[in-house]
Amino acid sequence: MAVQLPASQALLYNQEQLLSHVQTLASDEFSGREMATRGNEKARVYIINALKRLDVAPLGQDYRQVFNHKSDVSGANVIGVIPGTEFPQQYIVLSAHFDHIGKGARVIYNGADDNASGTAALLSIAEQVKQAPLRYSLILLFSDGEELGLVGAHAFIDAYQNLIDDIKLNINLDMIAGDRGTKKLRFISKGIETLLDEQGLKMWSALRDSAEIQVKKGFKSGSSSITRGASSVNNRIRWRAASDHYVFYKAKIPFVYFGVGTHKNYHTGNDDFNGINQTFYLGATASICRQIYLLDRLMIN
């Protein structure tokens, strides 16, 4: 059963600009975007300027949501919002962390897949939604400090307790470009059955099946020598806790998490723009964008 979006919800963003965002954010100029560094702040300014060009308003008085980590380190999320047409006081939070792990003595960890890919996708989806708004308001959360234990996502939830009951869904993008051999976009979800009826779930499944790339439920068990937040037990990744969606899950907010899992470039100096699967990435972003529109259309209010 193929599902076609209305013409008004066709893909309207610039794909060349999408790749350009990744290439820029993953360049040596940003020094690996480690939290509380000059390169991280440079990435934040880049994101804010991109939102301003798109005429996306900040969620609060400023795009930056500054938070403290421990006693001597501070970070800052970037948060924008695009009002919905039918339910402007209810929200989908689309999230991606923009920080990475910085640099070593002889290598810069540019983090093209992790997570310039998700960050750039948020900017392109913002471009799309500005031209064809959703029914629900879309909060764009570019989180900081994910690599240090999801601290930016925790700061968002702590600061916006007044919105918790009005957040319908979190969609989190973390590593959606893979390496050159990547062929599948993976996802996990929790609580979607509270938002979609049986027919809606079937339509969502059909849309995933009709994507130009393979979209598969579930991640390989995987392992990592570097623990990501609360995500590792006995060196094996717990995907429910592997990225910022875990904070929304703990706040009892339904989530969908898209990623590709770990790969040979993960947390290495080879995770640069030339190391990602650019064709796959364009297809993955397109598929995610179409799924956002479908979920927005089908969610039970």
Side-chain angles (χ1 to χ4, degrees), residues 220-265:
K220 295 180 179 178
S221 57
S223 63
S224 173
S225 60
I226 302 176
T227 300
R228 308 185 70 215
S231 68
S232 182
V233 173
N234 297 326
N235 207 36
R236 298 186 72 80
I237 295 174
R238 297 170 55 229
W239 290 104
R240 185 179 292 179
S243 185
D244 288 331
H245 56 278
Y246 183 63
V247 180
F248 291 86
Y249 166 74
K250 295 289 283 184
K252 302 187 186 308
I253 295 168
F255 75 83
V256 183
Y257 162 43
F258 291 102
V260 298
T262 57
H263 50 75
K264 63 182 181 181
N265 294 338

Side-chain angles (χ1 to χ4, degrees), residues 2-17:
V3 177
Q4 298 295 326
L5 293 179
S8 63
Q9 294 171 2
L11 297 179
L12 304 172
Y13 59 82
N14 186 314
Q15 290 193 325
E16 291 183 2
Q17 182 64 69

Side-chain angles (χ1 to χ4, degrees), residues 12-265:
L12 304 172
Y13 59 82
N14 186 314
Q15 290 193 325
E16 291 183 2
Q17 182 64 69
L18 171 61
L19 292 175
S20 178
H21 285 318
V22 178
Q23 186 171 25
T24 300
L25 288 164
S27 66
D28 288 354
E29 182 181 359
F30 292 80
S31 301
R33 307 187 307 277
E34 185 177 8
M35 195 176 88
T37 64
R38 186 173 298 178
N40 178 283
E41 170 61 17
K42 199 164 191 174
R44 189 160 36 243
V45 170
Y46 180 91
I47 294 165
I48 290 171
N49 287 339
L51 293 176
K52 287 180 177 177
R53 286 193 298 271
L54 294 172
D55 196 28
V56 173
L59 179 60
Q61 293 184 335
D62 186 16
Y63 290 100
R64 289 177 175 83
Q65 181 212 347
V66 179
F67 59 86
N68 293 320
H69 177 55
K70 299 183 178 178
S71 59
D72 58 346
V73 178
S74 64
N77 299 324
V78 176
I79 313 174
V81 62
I82 303 174
T85 58
E86 293 184 38
F87 308 111
Q89 301 305 315
Q90 297 184 62
Y91 303 92
I92 296 170
V93 177
L94 181 62
S95 59
H97 74 92
F98 70 89
D99 67 304
H100 194 49
I101 59 174
K103 59 184 180 179
R106 297 183 179 180
V107 62
I108 298 175
Y109 300 99
N110 285 314
D113 188 27
D114 186 14
N115 187 33
S117 65
T119 301
L122 255 64
L123 291 172
S124 287
I125 292 169
E127 178 185 354
Q128 168 85 23
V129 175
K130 278 296 294 184
Q131 298 176 78
L134 301 172
R135 296 196 307 153
Y136 294 89
S137 291
L138 183 68
I139 293 174
L140 297 147
L141 171 60
F142 301 85
S143 67
D144 198 3
E146 188 270 355
E147 298 284 2
L148 296 180
L150 321 182
V151 293
H154 281 292
F156 172 82
I157 290 292
D158 290 344
Y160 288 98
Q161 284 291 311
N162 61 313
L163 295 184
I164 296 299
D165 290 343
D166 297 316
I167 296 175
K168 301 279 287 186
L169 175 66
N170 167 237
I171 300 172
N172 185 42
L173 314 185
D174 192 352
M175 298 175 60
I176 62 169
D179 61 22
R180 289 187 176 184
T182 298
K183 297 179 180 180
K184 295 178 182 178
L185 177 67
R186 298 177 180 273
F187 79 98
I188 57 173
S189 64
K190 186 71 174 178
I192 295 297
E193 66 279 357
T194 68
L195 301 176
L196 303 181
D197 61 20
E198 184 176 350
Q199 180 63 18
L201 290 169
K202 290 180 179 178
M203 292 177 70
W204 183 34
S205 178
L207 181 62
R208 296 194 306 269
D209 290 344
S210 67
E212 52 266 74
I213 51 135
Q214 294 183 63
V215 183
K216 184 175 178 61
K217 185 174 183 178
F219 286 78
K220 295 180 179 178
S221 57
S223 63
S224 173
S225 60
I226 302 176
T227 300
R228 308 185 70 215
S231 68
S232 182
V233 173
N234 297 326
N235 207 36
R236 298 186 72 80
I237 295 174
R238 297 170 55 229
W239 290 104
R240 185 179 292 179
S243 185
D244 288 331
H245 56 278
Y246 183 63
V247 180
F248 291 86
Y249 166 74
K250 295 289 283 184
K252 302 187 186 308
I253 295 168
F255 75 83
V256 183
Y257 162 43
F258 291 102
V260 298
T262 57
H263 50 75
K264 63 182 181 181
N265 294 338

